[in-house]
């Protein structure tokens, strides 16, 4: 763990104002050995924004996860990105961004023409914050990936968000993991899926969706022609929630991956899925991990699903030390990864 802080931002980003070769800079933690937990506050964000505003840099990806940017820092970066024409991907995971920050990021989307990926996972996005963001999302036609997982989104915020998605035709990957969507929100999303032609990947894991919500999702998929990856993992619908899935799978010719793990599904529910798989020609992966199937039932399900990837109960991973490699320090003209002294 380093602690570059705001003062370190001066030395790091001042040279970037005129740099024309660096395209990727990681200041976050998730799955990367880099500058995690650096205590970057809104003051540090000013130096980053200055480099982005200058447009002399050709930086494409900026990861600022797990810092202390808060609303002020998000506002500062958003203003810079209104005119920036190089950055494609921005990760603001875990930065305590709330209403004001989301409003600023939404305003940025009205004029920015290059940002295609925005990660706002694990912030403090509530319904009010999402309303303000949604008002501007409907006018954006470049953002392709949006992660709003692990926030505080309820049915009230979801209403305007879905309206914005209906007007937006560029977003293709949407992650709403671990919010408060439940059956009412699932019904809204199902209606949206009936007419949407841009979303190809949708994650609704951990949203307290029960039997009726799952049934609504399947109904919405009957008319959908673009969704290829769907996760409903760790919800609450059980066997009843997959009863009508067989008919949907039999007719669907688009979906490639389906995650139904952790849903209390027994062999009764698995049999409904099998009925659909016998007619389905395109689905290649079904995840049923952590459901209620015995070892014998797993074998039966796999045998009946030949040619498909069926995710069974996980086994303990084997460790092959000969192929383990940790890159501690790597610098090139196009990729900068700085080391951390606290590797776990």
């Amino acid at each position: 763990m380093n602690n570059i802080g705001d003062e370190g931002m001066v030395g790091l980003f001042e040279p970037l104002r005129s740099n024309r070769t660096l395209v990727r800079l990681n200041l976050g933690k998730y799955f990367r050995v880099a500058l995690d937990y650096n205590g970057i506050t809104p003051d540090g964000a000013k130096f980053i924004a200055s480099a982005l505003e200058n447009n002399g840099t050709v930086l494409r990806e900026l990861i600022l996860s797990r810092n202390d940017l808060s609303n002020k820092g998000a506002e500062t970066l958003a203003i810079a990105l209104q005119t920036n024409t190089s950055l494609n991907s921005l990760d603001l995971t875990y930065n305590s961004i709330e209403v004001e920050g989301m409003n600023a990021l939404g305003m940025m989307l009205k004029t920015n023409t290059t940002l295609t990926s925005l990660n706002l996972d694990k912030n403090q996005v509530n319904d009010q914050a999402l309303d303000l963001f949604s008002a501007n999302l409907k006018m954006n036609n470049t953002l392709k990936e949006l992660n709003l997982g692990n926030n505080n989104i309820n049915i009230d915020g979801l209403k305007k968000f879905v309206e914005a998605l209906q007007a937006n035709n560029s977003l293709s990957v949407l992650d709403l993991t671990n919010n408060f969507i439940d059956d009412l929100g699932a019904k809204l999303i199902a209606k949206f899926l009936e007419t949407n032609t841009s979303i190809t990947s949708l994650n609704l894991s951990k949203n307290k969706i029960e039997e009726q919500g799952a049934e609504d999702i399947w109904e919405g998929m009957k008319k959908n022609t673009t969704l290829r990856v769907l996760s409903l993992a760790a919800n609450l619908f059980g066997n009843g929630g997959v009863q009508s899935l067989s008919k949907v799978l039999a007719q669907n010719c688009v979906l490639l991956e389906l995650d139904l793990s952790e849903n209390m599904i027994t062999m009764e529910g698995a049999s409904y899925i099998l009925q659909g798989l016998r007619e389905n020609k395109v689905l290649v992966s079904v995840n049923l991990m952590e459901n209620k199937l015995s070892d014998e039932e797993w074998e039966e399900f796999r045998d009946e699903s030949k040619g498909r990837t069926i995710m069974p109960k996980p086994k303990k991973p084997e460790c092959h030390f000969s192929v383990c490699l940790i890159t501690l320090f790597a610098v090139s003209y196009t990729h900068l990864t700085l080391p951390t002294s606290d590797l776990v």
Side-chain angles (χ1 to χ4, degrees):
M1 183 185 299
N2 290 302
N3 189 21
I4 289 180
D6 296 335
E7 292 182 359
M9 293 300 96
V10 182
L12 183 60
F13 277 90
E14 187 61 30
L16 289 182
R17 289 169 59 85
S18 57
N19 181 283
R20 295 183 179 277
T21 56
L22 184 71
V23 298
R24 184 175 185 275
L25 178 62
N26 189 338
L27 296 176
K29 175 180 185 293
Y30 263 41
F31 304 113
R32 292 172 174 89
V33 181
L35 292 172
D36 55 312
Y37 292 99
N38 274 288
I40 302 169
T41 73
D43 288 336
K46 293 177 182 178
F47 298 106
I48 303 173
S50 179
L52 293 173
E53 284 178 331
N54 186 53
N55 270 326
T57 178
V58 291
L59 190 65
R60 298 284 186 267
E61 181 179 6
L62 180 58
I63 303 174
L64 289 166
S65 58
R66 291 180 177 263
N67 280 289
D68 301 310
L69 295 176
S70 68
N71 289 324
K72 289 295 184 182
E75 289 172 343
T76 299
L77 292 172
I79 292 172
L81 288 173
Q82 287 181 4
T83 55
N84 177 274
T85 57
S86 66
L87 198 70
N88 301 137
S89 177
L90 177 62
D91 187 344
L92 296 176
T93 300
Y94 223 133
N95 270 288
S96 300
I97 298 171
E98 300 175 292
V99 175
E100 294 84 358
M102 287 296 289
N103 185 41
L105 290 168
M107 294 289 288
M108 173 269 294
L109 291 179
K110 287 176 63 176
T111 57
N112 182 282
T113 59
T114 56
L115 193 70
T116 59
S117 177
L118 179 59
N119 192 340
L120 293 165
D121 187 34
K122 296 182 178 68
N123 279 286
Q124 297 175 27
V125 181
N126 59 17
D127 291 340
Q128 182 185 1
L130 188 59
D131 281 354
L132 294 170
F133 182 82
S134 300
N136 295 294
L137 178 63
K138 65 175 63 176
M139 291 176 274
N140 177 277
N141 59 7
T142 54
L143 193 68
K144 297 182 181 301
E145 300 179 10
L146 177 61
N147 188 339
L148 289 168
N150 298 285
N151 280 288
N152 300 305
I153 300 169
N154 289 273
I155 183 66
D156 291 337
L158 198 61
K159 289 177 181 177
K160 289 189 177 180
F161 182 63
V162 169
E163 290 177 7
L165 292 179
Q166 290 171 334
N168 178 292
N169 59 8
S170 65
L171 198 68
S172 59
V173 178
L174 176 61
D175 193 332
L176 291 170
T177 301
N178 198 26
N179 281 284
F180 301 93
I181 289 175
D182 63 40
D183 284 358
L184 292 176
K187 187 171 185 177
L188 279 178
I189 292 173
K191 289 292 184 182
F192 158 71
L193 287 176
E194 289 182 358
T195 56
N196 177 264
T197 58
S198 65
I199 297 290
T200 60
S201 177
L202 176 63
N203 193 335
L204 297 174
S205 302
K206 299 181 180 180
N207 269 292
K208 297 180 173 60
I209 297 172
E210 300 184 19
E211 181 176 330
Q212 185 58 57
E215 292 293 304
D216 287 335
I217 294 291
W218 309 140
E219 188 66 27
M221 286 183 59
K222 287 181 179 179
K223 297 180 180 179
N224 184 276
T225 59
T226 55
L227 190 65
R228 297 180 180 179
V229 179
L230 174 64
S231 177
L232 286 169
N235 279 292
L236 305 169
F237 46 79
N239 294 332
V242 294
Q243 190 166 2
S244 63
L245 178 57
S246 59
K247 294 181 180 179
V248 177
L249 290 179
Q251 300 171 358
N252 186 280
C253 57
V254 180
L255 192 68
L256 301 177
E257 299 178 22
L258 177 62
D259 189 348
L260 299 174
S261 57
E262 298 184 64
N263 269 292
M264 303 177 290
I265 296 171
T266 68
M267 192 58 194
E268 177 190 347
S271 65
Y272 300 138
I273 299 171
L274 279 174
Q275 291 174 24
L277 290 180
R278 293 189 184 104
E279 301 295 327
N280 185 284
K281 306 298 182 183
V282 296
L283 190 67
V284 297
S285 175
V286 180
N287 189 342
L288 287 175
M289 286 171 52
E290 300 298 330
N291 279 292
K292 297 182 178 297
L293 278 71
S294 67
D295 290 342
E296 292 76 13
E297 289 169 337
W298 275 116
E299 290 299 327
E300 179 183 347
F301 189 87
R302 282 195 295 268
D303 290 343
E304 290 283 338
S305 308
K306 291 180 180 178
R308 305 175 198 270
T309 301
I310 306 298
M311 301 294 286
K313 294 179 179 178
K315 298 180 179 179
K316 292 182 178 180
E318 298 180 7
C319 184
H320 301 284
F321 292 99
S322 60
V323 296
C324 292
L325 175 64
I326 298 178
T327 303
L328 298 179
F329 189 68
V331 180
S332 72
Y333 289 108
T334 60
H335 183 170
L336 173 61
T337 302
L338 298 184
T340 180
S341 57
D342 186 15
L343 301 179
V344 179

